[in-house]
Amino acid sequence: MLLLTALVFLLIPSCRSSYVGSVVSVECHNAPSAYYIDDSLKIRLINSVCPGYAFKKERLLDYLEYFVIGYSSEFEIDEYKVWDLISNLKIETSVIPRKMPNVYDVKGNFLKSSPVAGLALSPNWIWIEIKTKFICHTALAHELVHIIIWRTQKVHADPDHEGTEFSGWTKKHTRLIKRVNSQLCELGI
């Protein structure tokens, strides 16, 4: 029996390997933890519940840098301008899912109610659900696109995405999000 247990342990590396990913467990004392991931960008990360989970600071900065480079290249906008468009942002994370009324899917179809993986709550605040240990599996890039559109247009974040009721979001935005997340998943971010 002991030999069988040792054999199973050796064959299943996940049982003995350390946790690797872009998400870290967060312990809080009196309130949810909040900290700036970069002082010059003024991007603040906060978790909704304690204890909870948040993005690792270094991995989040890598993710944002990759996103900025991709967005800049795709839309022919200077990287400094893209950084400016996502600076002074609060990124709230939670493991508790949300369901929202009156939302649109990415094709612009209206839904009376739907679970959401992220929300652009204001031009300065996004909420992201953490489901796995990698940032690439979250809605972060999607919500960053909403923030860029909101801060550029000043009126809205184009809630209907590729729909025709609001302007801003194009199929290029959707392709960019898929490409950025796919490439960052390959890098383990």
Side-chain angles (χ1 to χ4, degrees), residues 91-168:
I91 302 172
E92 180 181 351
T93 60
S94 178
V95 293
I96 299 173
R98 289 187 180 184
K99 190 172 185 177
M100 297 298 295
N102 305 320
V103 295
Y104 295 89
D105 68 14
V106 77
K107 296 293 183 192
N109 299 309
F110 178 78
L111 307 170
K112 285 188 176 228
S113 180
S114 178
V116 294
L119 293 167
L121 299 167
S122 79
N124 301 314
W125 180 14
I126 58 176
W127 171 86
I128 305 292
E129 181 183 6
I130 295 180
K131 296 180 184 181
T132 72
K133 62 184 179 179
F134 297 108
I135 302 173
C136 63
H137 293 149
T138 71
L140 181 58
H142 180 104
E143 300 311 325
L144 289 172
V145 168
H146 278 302
I147 292 300
I148 290 171
I149 292 170
W150 205 338
R151 290 178 172 185
T152 302
Q153 295 194 11
K154 311 281 189 231
V155 180
H156 60 75
D158 193 356
D160 73 342
H161 309 92
E162 293 177 12
T164 57
E165 190 170 333
F166 298 91
S167 63

Side-chain angles (χ1 to χ4, degrees), residues 54-123:
F55 302 131
K56 290 180 182 175
K57 180 179 175 178
E58 305 81 27
R59 294 296 192 136
L60 180 55
L61 285 169
D62 290 344
Y63 185 98
L64 292 173
E65 184 172 349
Y66 201 91
F67 174 84
V68 166
I69 291 167
Y71 197 96
S72 172
S73 174
E74 184 71 36
F75 295 97
E76 299 177 1
I77 299 171
D78 185 76
E79 285 181 27
Y80 293 109
K81 176 67 175 166
V82 180
W83 279 115
D84 188 50
L85 287 167
I86 66 169
S87 66
N88 296 303
L89 181 64
K90 178 168 77 171
I91 302 172
E92 180 181 351
T93 60
S94 178
V95 293
I96 299 173
R98 289 187 180 184
K99 190 172 185 177
M100 297 298 295
N102 305 320
V103 295
Y104 295 89
D105 68 14
V106 77
K107 296 293 183 192
N109 299 309
F110 178 78
L111 307 170
K112 285 188 176 228
S113 180
S114 178
V116 294
L119 293 167
L121 299 167
S122 79

Side-chain angles (χ1 to χ4, degrees), residues 38-55:
D38 184 275
D39 290 333
S40 63
L41 296 172
K42 301 290 186 224
I43 296 176
R44 189 168 59 134
L45 187 63
I46 184 169
N47 58 308
S48 298
V49 294
C50 288
Y53 291 90
F55 302 131

